[in-house]
Amino acid sequence: MTARRICAVILIIFLLLLIPGCWDQREIEQLAIVRAIAVDYLPGRKAPYLVTMVVLRPADLAGGESGGGSGGGSQPLQLFSGVGASIDLAITQITTALSRRVYLSHAELVLVGEELARTGITPVLDFIIRYPEIRNSVYLMFVPGRAQQVLPVPERLEEAVVSEMLGLLKNAEQIPFSDPQRAFEFMRVLLRYGQEPFLAIMQATPPLEATLPELQQVKESAGGRQNGGQGEGGGQGTSPGGGQQEEEKVLTVAGTAAFKNDKLVGIMDARETRGYLWFTGNVRNAVIAVHDPGQPEAVISMLVTRAQTKITPVVKGDKVSFRVEVDTEGDISSQNTTTNLNTPEILRKLNSAIAGAVKVEMEQALQKMQSLETDLVGFGAILGRKEPKLFGKLHKKWPRFFRTLEVDITVKANIRRTGQQGNVPAGYH
Amino acid sequence: MLEKGKISPRQSGELLFITVFATSILIVPAVTTSIAAQDAWLAILLSTLPGFFLLGVLSWLGGKHPGQTLFQYAETILGKWPGKLFGLLYVWIMLQTAATTTRQFSDYLSTAFMPLTPLSVFTLSLIFLSVVAVISGLEVIARMNEFIILLVVAFLMLVMVLALPNWEPANLLPVLAHGLVPVLRASATPAVFMGEVLVAAVLLPYTTRPQRTFAAGAAALLSAAFLLAAGVVAAIAIFGPALVSVFRFPLHMFVRTINIGDILTRFEVIVMVTWVAGVFIKLSVFLYCASLGLAQVLGLRQYRPVVFPLGILVAVFCFLFFENIVEITEGIKSVAPKVYAIYYLVLPLLLVIITVVREKIFGHKFQAKRQ
């Protein structure tokens, strides 16, 4: 009996030993919690990888609102940079400048700079998979130019720039101008034969007010009293005081960086991206505008509520082509004309006009992809599932094959509802 | 009798389930996927066949020698000294399996969670715990397992359901693109784990209704294979076969992709905890069988004195056998199927053949004896 008791006591002591995590114990007060990582490639250097980490300020964690007095101008961002011959070497360099231990488990965003994307992002992927702390569900984003340069852009709605970026990503998933990819999503496409991966683009751009020529003139005449008028990109809210900074920038998520294997080969703008997204059927909330068949000088637009895309390979002997059938429906969302929409006739005409517009969009996106020889849609992968034998012979030269691939696109559009208004009353005009 | 406890057929089935399942989930998905690509799940289902064969042989032998374990009836069938040698071979393979299990699992913990912690912390604490469990007896292990099995199965199911949004089912196509050959080749590795139903040969005489052991074992084998196949299907659907075969521990990676509304995330720790529990039971079962076997071979009156020394042996083996993780995975991939085929298929079959020969040709009666 006593032997048993001694055993039990020893067991309990053992458990106590295990609770703090042995040699890997980490106290939260001693961690530098990294929220985002930007990786750049500096060509021509021996240590080409430039890693910049956004670290959560411990004071912000504990204090909550306590720093409110020190002014609305938010505290300087805690950015830590290092260079190295690999990503972990760069991080090692950063640790010499850190008062705490790097902790990557809460990193949610990895930004990839343009130069790095051109030389290949395999080192980033390797780091994400191999390193025990960082998760394979982090978002991978492409940044034109240096990835590091988007980090000091001031946040607008959220309390920190990383939260702002994550918010942009979440929102970008709802609108059809980009398709943010998690690291594992990128990798599974990267390793698939007959499909090439892509990343969504995040960039710092001047706000619309800074680029519209009309507003430019107003600014010159009215001095510092700038007021963002009907800016479509969201009203410019908190430009601090009147002292207009010359380089004011806002973050945007739009467009697609097309890859071939792990290397960047080209950029598709927001419109081409939407054209691409029609191939995946992931275009909810798209607004398609077409000329009114009755009054061709103005537009009528449809909000897409549903879209389905079916891609089928057509194999005739040695010839491979594809049939893409898009079936979409939506509601009228605006009308700048007085055409009476209350006739099935006009809706039919509108349907075919919208279908035509969608088809043009898709064809442009396809042309772009074909000119880049990067099969983002995965026509090859679809063929591989249907005809594994045939694709087995083709897969090595698929990019070149894809360049001249014949794709037959048919779009069916259906306006189901017209919103709360049947047609614009004639009295308006 | 060395063991006075009795377990029910259900309990023995549950023990077999955990024994097969606990570590196969660590390495098997990557190894099978690297050979059979998206058909890995099929390879896993196929790999149950040798398991069923072994289970059938063992219950037939067990039925012929009621109340006897493998170690005891080996002596009755082969004669005293050849039988003892035969028994020692099995003690050896059980210790080796226990050591491999411990090492695999410690490597997993080290890779995924605590890279700085010395491996001996994991191995020694796990082995120490198992020694205590084995000294407490079979009934205790079986009853503990009734609770742990719920954890293991429930959490695995939960994790699979939560990962559903990340699925891309097209990754599983085309089925059998390269024919049946790679599937068969890939099934060799999971078969090593399915063959661990070998411990049924020791559990059988301590089951309340030994004739039900085959049914219980078959159910355990089938459910373990199905759950493992489901895990592999999930991993392939999320990552695609090429990525799965790159990972060391695919299921760990797949649990990491779970993110539901930014709230339900980071499940890998829960999964790790249940796997620790499962591996603990598996190790206890093997250590128990090895201890009991050694005691029976040596004709001891108690098996408890040999438990602790054997535990130390397991700890030593798990550092002695493998230099690094590559040796383990490559060993399991290419060497283990050949070695274990001898223990799981050839030697049991030998016992059957000798039994039949002695009964049919020499007219010897085995059934009559009872202990």
Side-chain angles (χ1 to χ4, degrees):
Chain A
M1 210 58 218
T2 45
R4 241 179 216 205
R5 237 170 241 180
I6 291 166
C7 257
V9 169
I10 294 173
L11 258 184
I12 289 165
I13 292 170
F14 245 88
L15 286 175
L16 279 177
L17 277 178
L18 291 175
I19 284 166
C22 309
W23 280 252
D24 289 272
Q25 61 137 328
R26 279 162 285 193
E27 305 298 332
I28 191 158
E29 304 86 38
Q30 293 159 12
L31 294 181
I33 296 170
V34 177
R35 298 227 40 217
I37 305 171
V39 189
D40 281 303
Y41 187 83
L42 309 172
R45 290 175 58 102
K46 257 191 182 155
Y49 292 99
L50 167 68
V51 174
T52 307
M53 304 193 301
V54 184
V55 177
L56 206 63
R57 273 173 50 92
D60 294 346
L61 256 189
E65 305 269 318
S66 66
S70 65
S74 56
Q75 261 129 7
L77 259 167
Q78 297 311 313
L79 298 181
F80 292 86
S81 303
V83 286
S86 69
I87 291 169
D88 63 328
L89 281 173
I91 289 178
T92 316
Q93 200 193 42
I94 296 172
T95 52
T96 58
L98 269 175
S99 59
R100 292 160 172 246
R101 192 191 148 146
V102 175
Y103 189 60
L104 291 173
S105 273
H106 291 271
E108 288 179 88
L109 197 57
V110 175
L111 301 167
V112 175
E114 187 167 348
E115 205 58 51
L116 176 67
R118 287 200 193 283
T119 51
I121 67 167
T122 303
V124 177
L125 303 176
D126 174 81
F127 178 71
I128 291 173
I129 292 294
R130 206 179 289 276
Y131 203 72
E133 277 174 13
I134 196 162
R135 262 144 237 274
N136 53 24
S137 58
V138 290
Y139 279 106
L140 272 183
M141 294 297 283
F142 170 78
V143 180
R146 291 269 149 71
Q148 196 198 19
Q149 283 165 351
V150 296
L151 292 175
V153 175
E155 62 274 11
R156 306 177 91 198
L157 293 181
E158 312 297 334
E159 76 276 16
V161 71
V162 177
S163 318
E164 181 90 16
M165 287 175 172
L166 289 172
L168 285 170
L169 291 188
K170 291 275 151 61
N171 196 38
E173 280 169 351
Q174 301 301 314
I175 49 175
F177 291 118
S178 66
D179 189 2
Q181 297 281 297
R182 292 175 182 276
F184 75 89
E185 291 170 330
F186 181 87
M187 274 183 273
R188 74 175 163 205
V189 178
L190 175 65
L191 288 173
R192 192 179 290 158
Y193 283 120
Q195 188 170 5
E196 302 295 340
F198 63 89
L199 291 179
I201 298 174
M202 172 177 289
Q203 64 191 121
T205 51
L208 187 64
E209 293 85 346
T211 50
L212 278 186
E214 290 87 342
L215 289 178
Q216 223 66 333
Q217 284 162 8
V218 172
K219 214 195 287 173
E220 273 162 30
S221 60
R225 224 189 61 198
Q226 183 249 16
N227 202 346
Q230 324 110 303
E232 290 164 48
Q236 171 81 344
T238 50
S239 48
Q244 180 78 19
Q245 298 292 314
E246 50 188 329
E247 262 192 89
E248 200 187 351
K249 296 218 165 148
V250 294
L251 288 174
T252 55
V253 174
T256 295
F259 281 69
K260 195 166 167 183
N261 294 325
D262 69 330
K263 290 183 180 62
L264 176 77
V265 289
I267 303 278
M268 289 166 70
D269 63 22
R271 192 182 145 76
E272 286 163 341
T273 302
R274 189 168 78 177
Y276 156 72
L277 288 172
W278 278 105
F279 285 98
T280 64
N282 191 10
V283 278
R284 271 205 312 178
N285 293 332
V287 177
I288 307 290
V290 291
H291 293 290
D292 185 338
Q295 289 157 291
E297 70 281 0
V299 294
I300 292 181
S301 59
M302 178 184 96
L303 175 75
V304 175
T305 54
R306 201 181 66 86
Q308 245 178 4
T309 305
K310 214 173 121 201
I311 303 177
T312 37
V314 183
V315 181
K316 276 194 198 121
D318 255 5
K319 221 171 149 290
V320 180
S321 64
F322 282 85
R323 207 169 49 232
V324 178
E325 291 155 284
V326 179
D327 194 348
T328 180
E329 55 183 58
D331 305 348
I332 295 285
S333 57
S334 79
Q335 181 188 7
N336 291 351
T337 62
T338 51
T339 308
N340 183 6
L341 294 182
N342 284 333
T343 59
E345 184 78 1
I346 190 83
L347 283 192
R348 225 170 290 141
K349 276 185 186 163
L350 272 175
N351 280 344
S352 64
I354 287 165
V358 169
K359 187 176 169 178
V360 168
E361 217 173 85
M362 290 172 76
E363 276 169 347
Q364 282 171 352
L366 184 67
Q367 268 168 20
K368 177 85 179 202
M369 287 186 277
Q370 286 184 324
S371 69
L372 296 173
E373 289 190 1
T374 163
D375 181 3
L376 302 184
V377 179
F379 287 109
I382 292 167
L383 182 68
R385 271 169 223 140
K386 264 272 168 59
E387 309 271 345
K389 285 238 171 68
L390 176 65
F391 184 67
K393 278 184 283 180
L394 276 177
H395 80 251
K396 283 251 170 64
K397 50 185 175 179
W398 182 255
R400 252 178 299 139
F401 198 87
F402 173 69
R403 192 182 181 96
T404 52
L405 189 68
E406 258 178 57
V407 179
D408 177 30
I409 300 171
T410 47
V411 184
K412 265 202 309 192
N414 278 303
I415 294 168
R416 297 293 186 205
R417 281 158 290 275
T418 63
Q420 296 283 19
Q421 176 161 283
N423 61 294
V424 175
Y428 279 12
H429 287 261
Chain B
M1 286 272 276
L2 290 168
E3 173 65 56
K4 293 188 185 64
K6 284 268 179 191
I7 57 175
S8 70
R10 188 168 60 83
Q11 283 176 322
S12 91
E14 285 169 352
L15 280 177
L16 290 177
F17 172 86
I18 285 289
T19 304
V20 169
F21 188 69
T23 46
S24 58
I25 198 140
L26 289 177
I27 288 180
V28 164
V31 173
T32 43
T33 311
S34 71
I35 302 172
Q38 62 271 27
D39 301 323
W41 56 275
L42 207 61
I44 287 168
L45 294 185
L46 274 180
S47 72
T48 52
L49 293 178
F52 280 123
F53 172 78
L54 179 62
L55 208 56
V57 167
L58 294 178
S59 12
W60 185 77
L61 286 170
K64 278 221 169 300
H65 309 276
Q68 291 191 355
T69 68
L70 174 73
F71 306 100
Q72 292 165 315
Y73 57 66
E75 279 181 47
T76 5
I77 294 171
L78 299 171
K80 193 172 176 194
W81 292 107
K84 281 196 192 301
L85 186 71
F86 188 91
L88 280 178
L89 275 179
Y90 275 91
V91 171
W92 167 253
I93 202 70
M94 276 163 179
L95 286 180
Q96 191 182 323
T97 313
T100 318
T101 301
T102 318
R103 181 61 191 257
Q104 268 176 55
F105 189 71
S106 311
D107 272 336
Y108 163 65
L109 283 181
S110 185
T111 305
F113 296 100
M114 299 181 235
L116 297 180
T117 307
L119 212 60
S120 49
V121 174
F122 308 125
T123 54
L124 292 183
S125 50
L126 195 66
I127 289 171
F128 182 76
L129 214 56
S130 288
V131 166
V132 175
V134 173
I135 287 176
S136 310
L138 183 60
E139 270 188 19
V140 174
I141 301 175
R143 263 184 263 142
M144 248 186 322
N145 186 41
E146 278 188 276
F147 168 68
I148 285 170
I149 198 170
L150 280 181
L151 285 184
V152 173
V153 174
F155 277 125
L156 201 77
M157 299 269 203
L158 174 78
V159 159
M160 275 191 224
V161 171
L162 289 176
L164 278 178
N166 297 331
W167 277 42
E168 222 179 51
N171 282 329
L172 293 160
L173 295 173
V175 178
L176 288 180
H178 301 283
L180 212 58
V181 179
V183 176
L184 287 175
R185 273 204 307 131
S187 67
T189 300
V192 171
F193 291 88
M194 300 300 167
E196 281 165 5
V197 290
L198 175 75
V199 293
V202 182
L203 302 183
L204 189 125
Y206 308 120
T207 312
T208 45
R209 276 162 295 169
Q211 66 279 4
R212 296 268 304 270
T213 302
F214 181 78
L221 203 55
L222 266 187
S223 43
F226 269 112
L227 210 54
L228 187 59
V232 171
V233 164
I236 293 176
I238 290 171
F239 295 119
L243 201 51
V244 170
S245 51
V246 170
F247 292 150
R248 278 273 175 251
F249 308 108
L251 290 214
H252 176 81
M253 291 314 251
F254 121 71
V255 173
R256 285 195 137 194
T257 64
I258 295 175
N259 183 341
I260 296 186
D262 282 340
I263 296 165
L264 296 178
T265 59
R266 293 154 212 265
F267 277 88
E268 62 264 24
V269 176
I270 294 178
V271 170
M272 188 255 297
V273 167
T274 62
W275 284 348
V276 171
V279 167
F280 157 64
I281 293 289
K282 174 172 184 168
L283 183 62
S284 304
V285 168
F286 271 99
L287 197 58
Y288 173 82
C289 293
S291 313
L292 194 78
L294 188 64
Q296 284 175 340
V297 168
L298 298 180
L300 304 182
R301 257 173 290 142
Q302 279 245 324
Y303 74 89
R304 290 190 170 84
V306 300
V307 177
F308 193 66
L310 285 187
I312 290 175
L313 264 187
V314 169
V316 171
F317 284 168
C318 91
F319 287 101
L320 217 60
F321 287 171
F322 310 102
E323 282 286 326
N324 48 46
I325 193 161
V326 179
E327 284 187 7
I328 303 180
T329 44
E330 288 309 299
I332 285 175
K333 193 172 173 176
S334 47
V335 184
K338 290 164 201 150
V339 175
Y340 281 87
I342 298 172
Y343 289 97
Y344 292 162
L345 299 178
V346 177
L347 292 182
L349 202 61
L350 196 71
L351 282 187
V352 173
I353 291 169
I354 292 174
T355 307
V356 172
V357 166
R358 284 183 69 177
E359 274 190 338
K360 291 273 147 59
I361 298 178
F362 298 100
H364 190 87
K365 277 269 187 285
F366 281 118
Q367 210 105 38
K369 253 199 268 173
R370 230 173 202 291
Q371 252 195 327

